[in-house]
């Protein structure tokens, strides 16, 4: 959470983070500024959606729970409202393959889930659909979700998604961005696996 603030991906009390733990998961609490969080602030939850903690979990715990429960390869989820990802989410825009680094998300697009009120089962359902075959998505009129096999790589993907959205926004001001074909992105996804993107995200080619 502190890294989200330091990297400019979040502000105030916005954003939330979870990680798989034991038979359930840990999630950040609701309404506590990142600077005030301690280890004791983090809320352990069950996949049944219950908790026993002095603090309430993030209001977005449902999609954290459902992503971790439905995608066993995912062990961490980052949700934030960074400027460029959120700007495209406000427009309900899917991000196309304007740069090969979109392959880090697992496919030729970053989908934008339709709008649903925050914290609802409906939002969770729509987010899961947008995440099919992907490691990240946008949430219409809301923000973004990035996932990973651990917290470091989920945060890394959040940074990559925001960078890609920033590049796309600037390119749209310059002219008409050229979209890479799906088969090129599919090859890049495979090359990233060979280059160790999944095992060591920080060494991914730029």
């Amino acid at each position: 959470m502190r890294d989200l603030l330091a990297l400019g991906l979040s502000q105030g009390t916005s954003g939330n983070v979870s990680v798989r733990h034991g038979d359930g998961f840990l999630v950040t609490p609701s309404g506590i500024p990142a600077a005030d969080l301690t280890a004791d602030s983090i809320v352990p939850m069950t996949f049944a959606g219950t908790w026993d903690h002095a603090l309430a979990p993030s209001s977005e715990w449902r999609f954290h729970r459902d992503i971790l429960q439905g995608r066993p390869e995912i062990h961490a989820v980052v949700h934030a409202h960074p400027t460029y990802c959120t700007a495209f989410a406000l427009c309900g825009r899917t991000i196309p393959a304007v740069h090969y680094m979109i392959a880090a998300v697992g496919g030729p697009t970053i989908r934008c889930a339709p709008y649903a009120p925050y914290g609802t089962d409906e939002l969770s359902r729509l987010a899961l659909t947008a995440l099919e075959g992907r490691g990240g998505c946008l949430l219409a009129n809301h923000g973004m979700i990035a996932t990973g096999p651990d917290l470091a790589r989920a945060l890394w993907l959040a940074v990559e998604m925001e960078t890609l959205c920033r590049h796309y926004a600037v390119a749209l001001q310059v002219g008409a961005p050229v979209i890479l074909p799906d088969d090129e992105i599919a090859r890049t996804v495979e090359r990233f696996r060979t280059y160790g993107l999944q095992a060591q995200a920080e060494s991914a080619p730029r």
Side-chain angles (χ1 to χ4, degrees):
M1 286 294 290
R2 291 171 183 158
D3 284 345
L4 286 177
L5 287 176
L7 292 166
L9 298 179
S10 198
Q11 56 283 321
T13 61
S14 70
N16 32 80
V17 175
S18 68
V19 63
R20 191 184 300 277
H21 180 71
D23 294 330
F25 63 104
L26 306 175
V27 66
T28 48
S30 177
I32 308 294
D36 296 337
L37 290 173
T38 68
D40 290 337
S41 307
I42 307 304
V43 182
M45 292 194 66
T46 70
F47 284 120
T50 62
W51 68 92
D52 181 13
H53 194 277
L55 297 175
S58 165
S59 59
E60 303 288 16
W61 66 263
R62 288 172 180 81
F63 68 59
H64 287 273
R65 186 268 311 273
D66 293 347
I67 292 168
L68 292 170
Q69 192 169 37
R71 297 277 298 272
E73 79 278 16
I74 291 173
H75 288 261
V77 179
V78 169
H79 168 56
H81 306 154
T83 300
Y84 289 90
C85 283
T86 302
F88 282 109
L90 297 179
C91 298
R93 294 276 291 272
T94 290
I95 307 302
V98 290
H99 193 290
Y100 69 81
M101 277 303 294
I102 202 167
V105 184
T109 58
I110 300 173
R111 302 187 190 102
C112 185
Y115 177 77
Y118 75 90
T120 61
D121 289 329
E122 181 185 9
L123 177 60
S124 180
R125 177 181 59 79
L126 293 169
L128 282 171
T129 298
L131 285 168
E132 287 179 3
R134 302 288 191 272
C137 71
L138 305 182
L139 303 174
N141 303 94
H142 188 157
M144 57 87 78
I145 294 173
T147 69
D150 55 42
L151 281 169
R153 280 173 280 189
L155 180 64
W156 173 84
L157 184 59
V159 172
E160 291 298 326
M161 289 172 62
E162 175 67 354
T163 300
L164 181 60
C165 286
R166 184 170 69 249
H167 290 166
Y168 185 33
V170 174
L172 288 170
Q173 297 176 61
V174 174
V178 175
I179 310 302
L180 295 170
D182 288 359
D183 59 349
E184 175 60 22
I185 299 305
R187 286 191 292 269
T188 306
V189 169
E190 292 304 314
R191 291 178 69 190
F192 277 2
R193 292 193 180 105
T194 302
Y195 290 145
L197 176 65
Q198 300 303 316
Q200 192 174 6
E202 62 271 17
S203 67
R206 294 301 309 223

